[in-house]
Amino acid sequence: MSESGYTFVPLTGEIRPGEPTDFRFAVTGPGGRNVTGFEVRHDKRLHLIVASRDLTTFQHVHPEMSADGVWTVKLTLPAAGAYRAFADFAPAGGPALTLGADVFVAGGYTPRPLPAASRTTTVDGYTVELAGDLVPGRSSRLALKVTKAGEPVTDLQPYLGAYGHLVALRGGDLAYLHVHPEGAPGDGVTKAGPEIVFYAEAPSGGDYRLFLDFQHQGQVRTAAFTVHAGPSAAQPAPSTTPSGKPGSTPSAGEGDHADQGEHAH
């Protein structure tokens, strides 16, 4: 919730499932006061990501800030349970930060399993195909191809300064991964589809959930994937003892910390 003297402070009390709620929060600075100066990054002063702990629901919204530094956005969280909210911003003159806080929705809760890994998903008649693999310990190229009715979509519209926005979250602890887009609209090189390319840095093996926002015909849609990151390319192979039995080596996740830096917009 805190980094470099800045803290994400939720101000909303009880949230009920399915009921629109004014979600309020502030970002306090090193002096303890609400921060009111923010840099505009990817067309907005602050991006708010809200995902359920089981990673089956996801929202990306843009709150409005009042003069006293309190941010408000209308949120409807569909079911009871635990959620994680991420505030992505850069205070004026300060570092780019992603701060997280837990949000709870009242009521009985049964967590759902992570959806099965797949390279193809559909949303509102669009099909999105994923090419590329997450490899822990290095930057991985991920290309997402958008088609509709079997035809490639070549007229994607810019959304937050790019033809797509990708959030990657690690299953279990919801670590927020570092993702970069390739190119930008209007640079004379980047095409408006059907492929949107990102580079993601996964710190460890395991399951991850990818959420791609893209805009077409004036509407933003979100395509979601579950992917599995294989063993790290930097991880040594198990040692072999004279008897031929595997020796002791560190586990793949030992000491891992996900990069909390900027994600792609």
Side-chain angles (χ1 to χ4, degrees):
M1 292 180 68
S2 298
E3 186 178 349
S4 302
Y6 295 88
T7 302
F8 179 19
V9 184
L11 301 172
T12 300
E14 185 177 18
I15 300 176
R16 294 184 178 275
E19 292 186 7
T21 301
D22 286 330
F23 182 71
R24 302 170 64 251
F25 64 93
V27 175
T28 60
R33 296 177 179 271
N34 289 356
V35 177
T36 57
F38 292 83
E39 305 286 351
V40 174
R41 299 171 66 248
H42 311 294
D43 298 339
K44 300 292 181 180
R45 292 183 296 173
L46 187 144
H47 301 261
L48 186 72
I49 307 297
V50 183
S52 59
R53 275 278 174 185
D54 59 14
L55 292 178
T56 58
T57 65
F58 171 90
Q59 295 184 46
H60 174 190
V61 294
H62 300 104
E64 295 293 332
M65 188 188 73
S66 59
D68 61 358
V70 173
W71 295 85
T72 304
V73 66
K74 189 74 73 176
L75 272 186
T76 302
L77 301 180
Y83 293 76
R84 186 73 171 168
F86 300 91
D88 180 2
F89 62 92
L97 297 170
T98 301
L99 303 181
D102 286 327
V103 176
F104 300 97
V105 178
Y109 168 60
T110 300
R112 290 174 286 177
L114 199 67
S118 174
R119 290 190 174 272
T120 303
T121 191
T122 59
V123 55
D124 296 341
Y126 293 82
T127 298
V128 183
E129 297 179 55
L130 170 65
D133 297 297
L134 276 179
V135 180
R138 75 182 192 202
S139 181
S140 302
R141 184 181 188 271
L142 303 175
L144 295 113
K145 181 180 179 181
V146 183
T147 61
K148 187 176 184 181
E151 296 297 324
V153 176
T154 58
D155 57 345
L156 292 170
Q157 297 165 316
Y159 175 59
L160 303 175
Y163 287 124
H165 166 280
L166 185 67
V167 169
L169 299 173
R170 184 166 59 187
D173 63 358
L174 274 65
Y176 195 90
L177 306 190
H178 201 167
V179 183
H180 294 286
E182 181 179 70
D187 63 5
V189 177
T190 306
K191 296 180 179 180
E195 278 195 340
I196 314 167
V197 177
F198 301 90
Y199 288 87
E201 301 171 19
S204 66
D207 292 325
Y208 291 80
R209 192 79 167 144
L210 307 182
F211 299 94
L212 171 71
D213 290 334
F214 65 94
Q215 183 166 255
H216 188 239
Q217 297 180 344
Q219 185 174 343
V220 177
R221 297 169 173 86
T222 302
F225 293 86
T226 300
V227 300
H228 184 80
S232 171
Q235 183 180 342
S239 62
T240 302
T241 65
S243 65
K245 296 179 180 179
S248 175
T249 58
S251 64
E254 189 172 319
D256 283 332
H257 294 281
D259 191 333
Q260 298 296 315
E262 175 188 358
H263 63 273
H265 293 277

